Amino acid sequence: MAVSKTHPASAIREAIEAGVALFGENRVQEFQQKSAELADAKIAVRLIGQLQSNKSAKAAEIFSGVDSLDSIRLAQRLDEAAKRLGRTLPVLLEIKLSREESKTGLEPESLELVRLLERLPEFANLRLGGLMTVPPWSEDPECARPYFVQLRHLRDQLAARWTGLDFSELSMGMSGDFAVAIEEGSTCIRVGTALFGKRPYPAKPEEP
Ligand SMILES: *Cc1c(COP(=O)(O)O)cnc(C)c1O
């Protein structure tokens, strides 16, 4: 996945010409603007940033899928929105494996995760594909390895318990650590800087 956040639609066009077909964006509003210029492009664009539930209807409309699903409330909103649109929305559960305050996602031992998995069959317009995580930032890619291993183990545990659900995707690995992520079983690396260069401005989270 080419992570095109902060880069203009023209950069996405260039990447398409180079053969990229899957993109990641972190803000609804930002991609809404770019998507107007990309209406004819045959690409999949997935949301990888935190989503506020008041923007879930728009997200369900403009994204090919949401890889940052992190609460029951959001699942409910996305399901309702997808239903109104008459579509099935692919989702990944974002898992928070570190204790960093700044990180979002469902904690692996949390009741919220169990309850969300229990209720997923009710959300008929969402289709679970697997898990996603962002480990703490570090210069050293080896520091990310234990988190990637942990995500894979969690996936194996969940897949054994929730046999009716699909956990085949492991979205993990970014510019600095994708090689390690692939070694640990990543099925989707999310690469921004290594493809597009340094971001022109910091990628801020969504405004409320
Ligand atoms: C920005 C971002 C990436 C890409 O990071 P790079 O280090 O630029 O490759 C990957 N995943 C998520 C969730 C991001 O927000």
PDB file of all heavy atoms in Angstrom, residues 1-7 24-26 47-50 67-68 94 132-134 137 171 173-178 189-199 203, ligand 1:
ATOM      1  N   MET A   1       0.847  -1.178   0.000  1.00  0.00           N
ATOM      2  CA  MET A   1       0.000   0.000   0.000  1.00  0.00           C
ATOM      3  C   MET A   1       0.890   1.239   0.000  1.00  0.00           C
ATOM      4  O   MET A   1       1.795   1.359   0.813  1.00  0.00           O
ATOM      5  CB  MET A   1      -0.879   0.002   1.264  1.00  0.00           C
ATOM      6  CG  MET A   1      -1.641   1.311   1.456  1.00  0.00           C
ATOM      7  SD  MET A   1      -2.454   1.403   3.063  1.00  0.00           S
ATOM      8  CE  MET A   1      -3.769   0.220   2.860  1.00  0.00           C
ATOM      9  N   ALA A   2       0.593   2.146  -0.948  1.00  0.00           N
ATOM     10  CA  ALA A   2       1.320   3.416  -0.990  1.00  0.00           C
ATOM     11  C   ALA A   2       0.561   4.439  -0.138  1.00  0.00           C
ATOM     12  O   ALA A   2      -0.602   4.725  -0.400  1.00  0.00           O
ATOM     13  CB  ALA A   2       1.420   3.908  -2.421  1.00  0.00           C
ATOM     14  N   VAL A   3       1.209   4.955   0.897  1.00  0.00           N
ATOM     15  CA  VAL A   3       0.550   5.899   1.808  1.00  0.00           C
ATOM     16  C   VAL A   3       0.773   7.322   1.292  1.00  0.00           C
ATOM     17  O   VAL A   3       1.869   7.876   1.391  1.00  0.00           O
ATOM     18  CB  VAL A   3       1.063   5.729   3.250  1.00  0.00           C
ATOM     19  CG1 VAL A   3       0.411   6.762   4.164  1.00  0.00           C
ATOM     20  CG2 VAL A   3       0.775   4.319   3.751  1.00  0.00           C
ATOM     21  N   SER A   4      -0.302   7.876   0.734  1.00  0.00           N
ATOM     22  CA  SER A   4      -0.182   9.139  -0.005  1.00  0.00           C
ATOM     23  C   SER A   4      -0.643  10.353   0.808  1.00  0.00           C
ATOM     24  O   SER A   4      -0.752  11.454   0.256  1.00  0.00           O
ATOM     25  CB  SER A   4      -0.975   9.028  -1.301  1.00  0.00           C
ATOM     26  OG  SER A   4      -2.259   8.478  -1.055  1.00  0.00           O
ATOM     27  N   LYS A   5      -0.901  10.175   2.098  1.00  0.00           N
ATOM     28  CA  LYS A   5      -1.365  11.305   2.929  1.00  0.00           C
ATOM     29  C   LYS A   5      -0.401  12.482   2.809  1.00  0.00           C
ATOM     30  O   LYS A   5       0.814  12.279   2.721  1.00  0.00           O
ATOM     31  CB  LYS A   5      -1.467  10.864   4.396  1.00  0.00           C
ATOM     32  CG  LYS A   5      -0.125  10.500   5.026  1.00  0.00           C
ATOM     33  CD  LYS A   5      -0.296   9.918   6.422  1.00  0.00           C
ATOM     34  CE  LYS A   5       1.064   9.634   7.034  1.00  0.00           C
ATOM     35  NZ  LYS A   5       0.990   8.708   8.164  1.00  0.00           N
ATOM     36  N   THR A   6      -0.963  13.673   2.792  1.00  0.00           N
ATOM     37  CA  THR A   6      -0.264  14.971   2.637  1.00  0.00           C
ATOM     38  C   THR A   6       0.249  15.234   1.216  1.00  0.00           C
ATOM     39  O   THR A   6       0.587  16.359   0.889  1.00  0.00           O
ATOM     40  CB  THR A   6       0.921  15.205   3.626  1.00  0.00           C
ATOM     41  OG1 THR A   6       2.061  14.469   3.181  1.00  0.00           O
ATOM     42  CG2 THR A   6       0.568  14.850   5.050  1.00  0.00           C
ATOM     43  N   HIS A   7       0.337  14.207   0.395  1.00  0.00           N
ATOM     44  CA  HIS A   7       0.819  14.408  -0.977  1.00  0.00           C
ATOM     45  C   HIS A   7      -0.377  14.701  -1.904  1.00  0.00           C
ATOM     46  O   HIS A   7      -1.465  14.171  -1.697  1.00  0.00           O
ATOM     47  CB  HIS A   7       1.591  13.185  -1.460  1.00  0.00           C
ATOM     48  CG  HIS A   7       2.840  12.930  -0.667  1.00  0.00           C
ATOM     49  ND1 HIS A   7       3.963  13.707  -0.795  1.00  0.00           N
ATOM     50  CD2 HIS A   7       3.116  12.023   0.303  1.00  0.00           C
ATOM     51  CE1 HIS A   7       4.895  13.270   0.043  1.00  0.00           C
ATOM     52  NE2 HIS A   7       4.411  12.258   0.727  1.00  0.00           N
ATOM     53  N   GLY A  24      -3.152   4.412   0.764  1.00  0.00           N
ATOM     54  CA  GLY A  24      -3.635   4.641   2.128  1.00  0.00           C
ATOM     55  C   GLY A  24      -3.672   6.128   2.410  1.00  0.00           C
ATOM     56  O   GLY A  24      -2.745   6.864   2.052  1.00  0.00           O
ATOM     57  N   GLU A  25      -4.757   6.575   3.028  1.00  0.00           N
ATOM     58  CA  GLU A  25      -4.924   7.983   3.402  1.00  0.00           C
ATOM     59  C   GLU A  25      -5.347   8.029   4.864  1.00  0.00           C
ATOM     60  O   GLU A  25      -5.974   7.088   5.356  1.00  0.00           O
ATOM     61  CB  GLU A  25      -6.012   8.628   2.532  1.00  0.00           C
ATOM     62  CG  GLU A  25      -5.566   8.896   1.103  1.00  0.00           C
ATOM     63  CD  GLU A  25      -4.738  10.187   0.969  1.00  0.00           C
ATOM     64  OE1 GLU A  25      -4.847  11.068   1.839  1.00  0.00           O
ATOM     65  OE2 GLU A  25      -3.993  10.302  -0.023  1.00  0.00           O
ATOM     66  N   ASN A  26      -5.038   9.139   5.558  1.00  0.00           N
ATOM     67  CA  ASN A  26      -5.383   9.138   6.982  1.00  0.00           C
ATOM     68  C   ASN A  26      -6.473  10.129   7.371  1.00  0.00           C
ATOM     69  O   ASN A  26      -6.860  10.176   8.528  1.00  0.00           O
ATOM     70  CB  ASN A  26      -4.143   9.332   7.858  1.00  0.00           C
ATOM     71  CG  ASN A  26      -3.658  10.760   7.862  1.00  0.00           C
ATOM     72  OD1 ASN A  26      -3.782  11.450   6.851  1.00  0.00           O
ATOM     73  ND2 ASN A  26      -3.125  11.218   8.977  1.00  0.00           N
ATOM     74  N   LEU A  47      -8.720   3.832   4.297  1.00  0.00           N
ATOM     75  CA  LEU A  47      -8.468   4.763   5.405  1.00  0.00           C
ATOM     76  C   LEU A  47      -7.621   4.058   6.459  1.00  0.00           C
ATOM     77  O   LEU A  47      -7.976   2.982   6.940  1.00  0.00           O
ATOM     78  CB  LEU A  47      -9.797   5.222   6.020  1.00  0.00           C
ATOM     79  CG  LEU A  47      -9.640   6.229   7.167  1.00  0.00           C
ATOM     80  CD1 LEU A  47      -9.096   7.559   6.667  1.00  0.00           C
ATOM     81  CD2 LEU A  47     -10.965   6.447   7.890  1.00  0.00           C
ATOM     82  N   ILE A  48      -6.478   4.685   6.815  1.00  0.00           N
ATOM     83  CA  ILE A  48      -5.583   4.073   7.805  1.00  0.00           C
ATOM     84  C   ILE A  48      -5.424   4.951   9.047  1.00  0.00           C
ATOM     85  O   ILE A  48      -4.667   4.627   9.944  1.00  0.00           O
ATOM     86  CB  ILE A  48      -4.187   3.779   7.193  1.00  0.00           C
ATOM     87  CG1 ILE A  48      -3.546   5.073   6.664  1.00  0.00           C
ATOM     88  CG2 ILE A  48      -4.280   2.742   6.084  1.00  0.00           C
ATOM     89  CD1 ILE A  48      -2.082   4.912   6.273  1.00  0.00           C
ATOM     90  N   GLY A  49      -6.143   6.083   9.079  1.00  0.00           N
ATOM     91  CA  GLY A  49      -6.048   6.975  10.238  1.00  0.00           C
ATOM     92  C   GLY A  49      -7.291   6.886  11.090  1.00  0.00           C
ATOM     93  O   GLY A  49      -8.317   6.356  10.656  1.00  0.00           O
ATOM     94  N   GLN A  50      -7.210   7.418  12.292  1.00  0.00           N
ATOM     95  CA  GLN A  50      -8.353   7.339  13.203  1.00  0.00           C
ATOM     96  C   GLN A  50      -9.564   8.049  12.613  1.00  0.00           C
ATOM     97  O   GLN A  50      -9.440   9.135  12.043  1.00  0.00           O
ATOM     98  CB  GLN A  50      -8.014   7.945  14.561  1.00  0.00           C
ATOM     99  CG  GLN A  50      -9.055   7.533  15.591  1.00  0.00           C
ATOM    100  CD  GLN A  50      -8.844   8.176  16.950  1.00  0.00           C
ATOM    101  OE1 GLN A  50      -8.152   9.184  17.076  1.00  0.00           O
ATOM    102  NE2 GLN A  50      -9.444   7.607  17.958  1.00  0.00           N
ATOM    103  N   ASP A  67      -9.155   0.547   7.530  1.00  0.00           N
ATOM    104  CA  ASP A  67      -8.197  -0.336   8.200  1.00  0.00           C
ATOM    105  C   ASP A  67      -7.948   0.069   9.645  1.00  0.00           C
ATOM    106  O   ASP A  67      -7.084  -0.499  10.302  1.00  0.00           O
ATOM    107  CB  ASP A  67      -6.863  -0.331   7.440  1.00  0.00           C
ATOM    108  CG  ASP A  67      -6.988  -0.960   6.061  1.00  0.00           C
ATOM    109  OD1 ASP A  67      -8.079  -1.471   5.738  1.00  0.00           O
ATOM    110  OD2 ASP A  67      -6.003  -0.949   5.307  1.00  0.00           O
ATOM    111  N   SER A  68      -8.709   1.059  10.132  1.00  0.00           N
ATOM    112  CA  SER A  68      -8.458   1.596  11.464  1.00  0.00           C
ATOM    113  C   SER A  68      -9.705   1.501  12.342  1.00  0.00           C
ATOM    114  O   SER A  68      -9.936   2.360  13.180  1.00  0.00           O
ATOM    115  CB  SER A  68      -8.002   3.055  11.339  1.00  0.00           C
ATOM    116  OG  SER A  68      -8.852   3.762  10.423  1.00  0.00           O
ATOM    117  N   GLU A  94      -7.858  -2.206  14.106  1.00  0.00           N
ATOM    118  CA  GLU A  94      -6.565  -1.661  14.515  1.00  0.00           C
ATOM    119  C   GLU A  94      -6.297  -2.069  15.959  1.00  0.00           C
ATOM    120  O   GLU A  94      -7.127  -1.857  16.842  1.00  0.00           O
ATOM    121  CB  GLU A  94      -6.540  -0.134  14.388  1.00  0.00           C
ATOM    122  CG  GLU A  94      -5.174   0.410  14.783  1.00  0.00           C
ATOM    123  CD  GLU A  94      -5.005   1.897  14.569  1.00  0.00           C
ATOM    124  OE1 GLU A  94      -5.933   2.553  14.048  1.00  0.00           O
ATOM    125  OE2 GLU A  94      -3.923   2.392  14.939  1.00  0.00           O
ATOM    126  N   MET A 132      -4.586  -4.730  11.955  1.00  0.00           N
ATOM    127  CA  MET A 132      -3.595  -3.712  11.590  1.00  0.00           C
ATOM    128  C   MET A 132      -2.942  -3.192  12.861  1.00  0.00           C
ATOM    129  O   MET A 132      -3.594  -3.150  13.908  1.00  0.00           O
ATOM    130  CB  MET A 132      -4.336  -2.575  10.872  1.00  0.00           C
ATOM    131  CG  MET A 132      -3.481  -1.498  10.260  1.00  0.00           C
ATOM    132  SD  MET A 132      -3.098  -0.141  11.370  1.00  0.00           S
ATOM    133  CE  MET A 132      -4.061   1.163  10.652  1.00  0.00           C
ATOM    134  N   THR A 133      -1.661  -2.837  12.790  1.00  0.00           N
ATOM    135  CA  THR A 133      -1.036  -2.190  13.947  1.00  0.00           C
ATOM    136  C   THR A 133       0.051  -1.216  13.523  1.00  0.00           C
ATOM    137  O   THR A 133       0.610  -1.315  12.426  1.00  0.00           O
ATOM    138  CB  THR A 133      -0.465  -3.211  14.960  1.00  0.00           C
ATOM    139  OG1 THR A 133      -0.313  -2.562  16.235  1.00  0.00           O
ATOM    140  CG2 THR A 133       0.889  -3.770  14.532  1.00  0.00           C
ATOM    141  N   VAL A 134       0.300  -0.250  14.416  1.00  0.00           N
ATOM    142  CA  VAL A 134       1.405   0.704  14.253  1.00  0.00           C
ATOM    143  C   VAL A 134       2.265   0.625  15.512  1.00  0.00           C
ATOM    144  O   VAL A 134       1.823   1.062  16.572  1.00  0.00           O
ATOM    145  CB  VAL A 134       0.879   2.152  14.101  1.00  0.00           C
ATOM    146  CG1 VAL A 134       2.038   3.116  13.876  1.00  0.00           C
ATOM    147  CG2 VAL A 134      -0.135   2.262  12.974  1.00  0.00           C
ATOM    148  N   TRP A 137       7.385   4.379  17.279  1.00  0.00           N
ATOM    149  CA  TRP A 137       8.405   4.771  16.316  1.00  0.00           C
ATOM    150  C   TRP A 137       9.796   4.509  16.887  1.00  0.00           C
ATOM    151  O   TRP A 137      10.050   4.757  18.065  1.00  0.00           O
ATOM    152  CB  TRP A 137       8.262   6.246  15.945  1.00  0.00           C
ATOM    153  CG  TRP A 137       9.106   6.551  14.742  1.00  0.00           C
ATOM    154  CD1 TRP A 137       8.724   6.418  13.443  1.00  0.00           C
ATOM    155  CD2 TRP A 137      10.470   6.977  14.729  1.00  0.00           C
ATOM    156  NE1 TRP A 137       9.776   6.732  12.619  1.00  0.00           N
ATOM    157  CE2 TRP A 137      10.860   7.074  13.374  1.00  0.00           C
ATOM    158  CE3 TRP A 137      11.413   7.267  15.722  1.00  0.00           C
ATOM    159  CZ2 TRP A 137      12.143   7.470  12.982  1.00  0.00           C
ATOM    160  CZ3 TRP A 137      12.698   7.642  15.334  1.00  0.00           C
ATOM    161  CH2 TRP A 137      13.054   7.749  13.984  1.00  0.00           C
ATOM    162  N   SER A 171      -1.879  -6.166   8.441  1.00  0.00           N
ATOM    163  CA  SER A 171      -1.344  -4.923   7.904  1.00  0.00           C
ATOM    164  C   SER A 171      -0.326  -4.376   8.885  1.00  0.00           C
ATOM    165  O   SER A 171      -0.682  -3.862   9.947  1.00  0.00           O
ATOM    166  CB  SER A 171      -2.479  -3.921   7.682  1.00  0.00           C
ATOM    167  OG  SER A 171      -1.936  -2.659   7.325  1.00  0.00           O
ATOM    168  N   GLY A 173       4.052  -2.795   9.107  1.00  0.00           N
ATOM    169  CA  GLY A 173       5.298  -2.427   8.440  1.00  0.00           C
ATOM    170  C   GLY A 173       5.133  -1.137   7.681  1.00  0.00           C
ATOM    171  O   GLY A 173       4.167  -0.952   6.939  1.00  0.00           O
ATOM    172  N   MET A 174       6.079  -0.194   7.909  1.00  0.00           N
ATOM    173  CA  MET A 174       6.076   1.108   7.244  1.00  0.00           C
ATOM    174  C   MET A 174       7.470   1.313   6.616  1.00  0.00           C
ATOM    175  O   MET A 174       8.245   0.370   6.541  1.00  0.00           O
ATOM    176  CB  MET A 174       5.722   2.210   8.258  1.00  0.00           C
ATOM    177  CG  MET A 174       4.521   1.787   9.063  1.00  0.00           C
ATOM    178  SD  MET A 174       3.687   2.944  10.192  1.00  0.00           S
ATOM    179  CE  MET A 174       4.713   4.315  10.414  1.00  0.00           C
ATOM    180  N   SER A 175       7.755   2.539   6.162  1.00  0.00           N
ATOM    181  CA  SER A 175       9.017   2.760   5.432  1.00  0.00           C
ATOM    182  C   SER A 175      10.250   2.227   6.164  1.00  0.00           C
ATOM    183  O   SER A 175      11.129   1.644   5.542  1.00  0.00           O
ATOM    184  CB  SER A 175       9.210   4.255   5.164  1.00  0.00           C
ATOM    185  OG  SER A 175       8.261   4.686   4.224  1.00  0.00           O
ATOM    186  N   GLY A 176      10.312   2.433   7.474  1.00  0.00           N
ATOM    187  CA  GLY A 176      11.528   2.087   8.213  1.00  0.00           C
ATOM    188  C   GLY A 176      11.641   0.620   8.598  1.00  0.00           C
ATOM    189  O   GLY A 176      12.735   0.155   8.960  1.00  0.00           O
ATOM    190  N   ASP A 177      10.534  -0.111   8.546  1.00  0.00           N
ATOM    191  CA  ASP A 177      10.582  -1.466   9.111  1.00  0.00           C
ATOM    192  C   ASP A 177       9.827  -2.516   8.292  1.00  0.00           C
ATOM    193  O   ASP A 177       9.526  -3.592   8.788  1.00  0.00           O
ATOM    194  CB  ASP A 177      10.068  -1.444  10.565  1.00  0.00           C
ATOM    195  CG  ASP A 177       8.678  -0.821  10.683  1.00  0.00           C
ATOM    196  OD1 ASP A 177       7.951  -0.786   9.672  1.00  0.00           O
ATOM    197  OD2 ASP A 177       8.334  -0.357  11.789  1.00  0.00           O
ATOM    198  N   PHE A 178       9.553  -2.200   7.010  1.00  0.00           N
ATOM    199  CA  PHE A 178       8.715  -3.141   6.250  1.00  0.00           C
ATOM    200  C   PHE A 178       9.388  -4.485   6.008  1.00  0.00           C
ATOM    201  O   PHE A 178       8.710  -5.513   5.932  1.00  0.00           O
ATOM    202  CB  PHE A 178       8.202  -2.517   4.940  1.00  0.00           C
ATOM    203  CG  PHE A 178       9.263  -2.136   3.953  1.00  0.00           C
ATOM    204  CD1 PHE A 178       9.821  -3.083   3.120  1.00  0.00           C
ATOM    205  CD2 PHE A 178       9.682  -0.816   3.847  1.00  0.00           C
ATOM    206  CE1 PHE A 178      10.794  -2.734   2.189  1.00  0.00           C
ATOM    207  CE2 PHE A 178      10.660  -0.461   2.923  1.00  0.00           C
ATOM    208  CZ  PHE A 178      11.223  -1.417   2.098  1.00  0.00           C
ATOM    209  N   ILE A 189       2.155  -4.089   3.606  1.00  0.00           N
ATOM    210  CA  ILE A 189       3.008  -3.052   4.188  1.00  0.00           C
ATOM    211  C   ILE A 189       2.472  -1.699   3.721  1.00  0.00           C
ATOM    212  O   ILE A 189       1.964  -1.573   2.608  1.00  0.00           O
ATOM    213  CB  ILE A 189       4.499  -3.227   3.812  1.00  0.00           C
ATOM    214  CG1 ILE A 189       4.686  -3.299   2.300  1.00  0.00           C
ATOM    215  CG2 ILE A 189       5.063  -4.481   4.492  1.00  0.00           C
ATOM    216  CD1 ILE A 189       6.138  -3.215   1.860  1.00  0.00           C
ATOM    217  N   ARG A 190       2.564  -0.709   4.617  1.00  0.00           N
ATOM    218  CA  ARG A 190       2.005   0.626   4.330  1.00  0.00           C
ATOM    219  C   ARG A 190       3.173   1.604   4.210  1.00  0.00           C
ATOM    220  O   ARG A 190       3.723   2.049   5.216  1.00  0.00           O
ATOM    221  CB  ARG A 190       1.065   1.048   5.459  1.00  0.00           C
ATOM    222  CG  ARG A 190      -0.030   0.031   5.798  1.00  0.00           C
ATOM    223  CD  ARG A 190      -0.883   0.545   6.937  1.00  0.00           C
ATOM    224  NE  ARG A 190      -0.072   0.908   8.097  1.00  0.00           N
ATOM    225  CZ  ARG A 190       0.218   0.108   9.111  1.00  0.00           C
ATOM    226  NH1 ARG A 190      -0.255  -1.115   9.158  1.00  0.00           N
ATOM    227  NH2 ARG A 190       0.983   0.527  10.100  1.00  0.00           N
ATOM    228  N   VAL A 191       3.561   1.905   2.982  1.00  0.00           N
ATOM    229  CA  VAL A 191       4.797   2.643   2.755  1.00  0.00           C
ATOM    230  C   VAL A 191       4.518   4.040   2.195  1.00  0.00           C
ATOM    231  O   VAL A 191       3.942   4.172   1.118  1.00  0.00           O
ATOM    232  CB  VAL A 191       5.723   1.852   1.806  1.00  0.00           C
ATOM    233  CG1 VAL A 191       7.019   2.618   1.574  1.00  0.00           C
ATOM    234  CG2 VAL A 191       6.034   0.481   2.388  1.00  0.00           C
ATOM    235  N   GLY A 192       4.906   5.055   2.943  1.00  0.00           N
ATOM    236  CA  GLY A 192       4.728   6.437   2.506  1.00  0.00           C
ATOM    237  C   GLY A 192       6.042   7.076   2.093  1.00  0.00           C
ATOM    238  O   GLY A 192       6.347   7.222   0.902  1.00  0.00           O
ATOM    239  N   THR A 193       6.841   7.446   3.092  1.00  0.00           N
ATOM    240  CA  THR A 193       8.077   8.198   2.871  1.00  0.00           C
ATOM    241  C   THR A 193       9.022   7.538   1.859  1.00  0.00           C
ATOM    242  O   THR A 193       9.585   8.222   1.006  1.00  0.00           O
ATOM    243  CB  THR A 193       8.813   8.371   4.220  1.00  0.00           C
ATOM    244  OG1 THR A 193       7.859   8.836   5.186  1.00  0.00           O
ATOM    245  CG2 THR A 193       9.940   9.362   4.120  1.00  0.00           C
ATOM    246  N   ALA A 194       9.176   6.230   1.924  1.00  0.00           N
ATOM    247  CA  ALA A 194      10.120   5.547   1.033  1.00  0.00           C
ATOM    248  C   ALA A 194       9.669   5.614  -0.430  1.00  0.00           C
ATOM    249  O   ALA A 194      10.481   5.440  -1.340  1.00  0.00           O
ATOM    250  CB  ALA A 194      10.312   4.097   1.467  1.00  0.00           C
ATOM    251  N   LEU A 195       8.381   5.878  -0.668  1.00  0.00           N
ATOM    252  CA  LEU A 195       7.888   6.000  -2.047  1.00  0.00           C
ATOM    253  C   LEU A 195       7.788   7.450  -2.501  1.00  0.00           C
ATOM    254  O   LEU A 195       8.183   7.789  -3.611  1.00  0.00           O
ATOM    255  CB  LEU A 195       6.492   5.368  -2.156  1.00  0.00           C
ATOM    256  CG  LEU A 195       6.403   3.850  -2.135  1.00  0.00           C
ATOM    257  CD1 LEU A 195       4.941   3.429  -2.063  1.00  0.00           C
ATOM    258  CD2 LEU A 195       7.055   3.241  -3.366  1.00  0.00           C
ATOM    259  N   PHE A 196       7.248   8.301  -1.635  1.00  0.00           N
ATOM    260  CA  PHE A 196       6.928   9.673  -2.039  1.00  0.00           C
ATOM    261  C   PHE A 196       7.923  10.695  -1.521  1.00  0.00           C
ATOM    262  O   PHE A 196       7.820  11.873  -1.843  1.00  0.00           O
ATOM    263  CB  PHE A 196       5.532  10.051  -1.519  1.00  0.00           C
ATOM    264  CG  PHE A 196       4.409   9.248  -2.127  1.00  0.00           C
ATOM    265  CD1 PHE A 196       3.760   8.268  -1.388  1.00  0.00           C
ATOM    266  CD2 PHE A 196       3.995   9.465  -3.435  1.00  0.00           C
ATOM    267  CE1 PHE A 196       2.720   7.527  -1.937  1.00  0.00           C
ATOM    268  CE2 PHE A 196       2.957   8.729  -3.996  1.00  0.00           C
ATOM    269  CZ  PHE A 196       2.326   7.756  -3.246  1.00  0.00           C
ATOM    270  N   GLY A 197       8.869  10.285  -0.699  1.00  0.00           N
ATOM    271  CA  GLY A 197       9.774  11.233  -0.060  1.00  0.00           C
ATOM    272  C   GLY A 197       9.143  11.783   1.209  1.00  0.00           C
ATOM    273  O   GLY A 197       8.049  11.393   1.592  1.00  0.00           O
ATOM    274  N   LYS A 198       9.868  12.695   1.828  1.00  0.00           N
ATOM    275  CA  LYS A 198       9.441  13.274   3.095  1.00  0.00           C
ATOM    276  C   LYS A 198       8.108  14.000   2.888  1.00  0.00           C
ATOM    277  O   LYS A 198       7.907  14.653   1.871  1.00  0.00           O
ATOM    278  CB  LYS A 198      10.500  14.289   3.540  1.00  0.00           C
ATOM    279  CG  LYS A 198      10.647  14.444   5.024  1.00  0.00           C
ATOM    280  CD  LYS A 198      11.990  15.146   5.296  1.00  0.00           C
ATOM    281  CE  LYS A 198      12.065  15.996   6.518  1.00  0.00           C
ATOM    282  NZ  LYS A 198      11.069  16.311   7.411  1.00  0.00           N
ATOM    283  N   ARG A 199       7.207  13.883   3.852  1.00  0.00           N
ATOM    284  CA  ARG A 199       5.915  14.563   3.701  1.00  0.00           C
ATOM    285  C   ARG A 199       6.097  16.078   3.764  1.00  0.00           C
ATOM    286  O   ARG A 199       6.874  16.579   4.566  1.00  0.00           O
ATOM    287  CB  ARG A 199       4.947  14.076   4.786  1.00  0.00           C
ATOM    288  CG  ARG A 199       4.343  12.722   4.460  1.00  0.00           C
ATOM    289  CD  ARG A 199       3.371  12.237   5.501  1.00  0.00           C
ATOM    290  NE  ARG A 199       4.024  11.584   6.624  1.00  0.00           N
ATOM    291  CZ  ARG A 199       4.480  10.340   6.623  1.00  0.00           C
ATOM    292  NH1 ARG A 199       4.374   9.596   5.544  1.00  0.00           N
ATOM    293  NH2 ARG A 199       5.046   9.839   7.685  1.00  0.00           N
ATOM    294  N   ALA A 203       1.565  14.845   9.006  1.00  0.00           N
ATOM    295  CA  ALA A 203       0.212  14.315   8.833  1.00  0.00           C
ATOM    296  C   ALA A 203      -0.517  14.396  10.163  1.00  0.00           C
ATOM    297  O   ALA A 203      -0.235  13.660  11.081  1.00  0.00           O
ATOM    298  CB  ALA A 203       0.267  12.875   8.352  1.00  0.00           C
TER     299      ALA A 203
HETATM  300  C1  LIG B   1       1.786   7.639   7.670  1.00  0.00           C
HETATM  301  C2  LIG B   1       1.482   6.220   7.935  1.00  0.00           C
HETATM  302  C3  LIG B   1       2.222   5.190   7.318  1.00  0.00           C
HETATM  303  C4  LIG B   1       3.407   5.434   6.401  1.00  0.00           C
HETATM  304  O1  LIG B   1       4.515   5.849   7.130  1.00  0.00           O
HETATM  305  P1  LIG B   1       5.949   6.029   6.413  1.00  0.00           P
HETATM  306  O2  LIG B   1       6.904   5.948   7.553  1.00  0.00           O
HETATM  307  O3  LIG B   1       5.933   7.354   5.748  1.00  0.00           O
HETATM  308  O4  LIG B   1       6.115   4.913   5.455  1.00  0.00           O
HETATM  309  C5  LIG B   1       1.831   3.886   7.577  1.00  0.00           C
HETATM  310  N1  LIG B   1       0.794   3.598   8.388  1.00  0.00           N
HETATM  311  C6  LIG B   1       0.074   4.542   8.993  1.00  0.00           C
HETATM  312  C7  LIG B   1      -1.065   4.147   9.875  1.00  0.00           C
HETATM  313  C8  LIG B   1       0.388   5.890   8.800  1.00  0.00           C
HETATM  314  O5  LIG B   1      -0.343   6.829   9.422  1.00  0.00           O
END
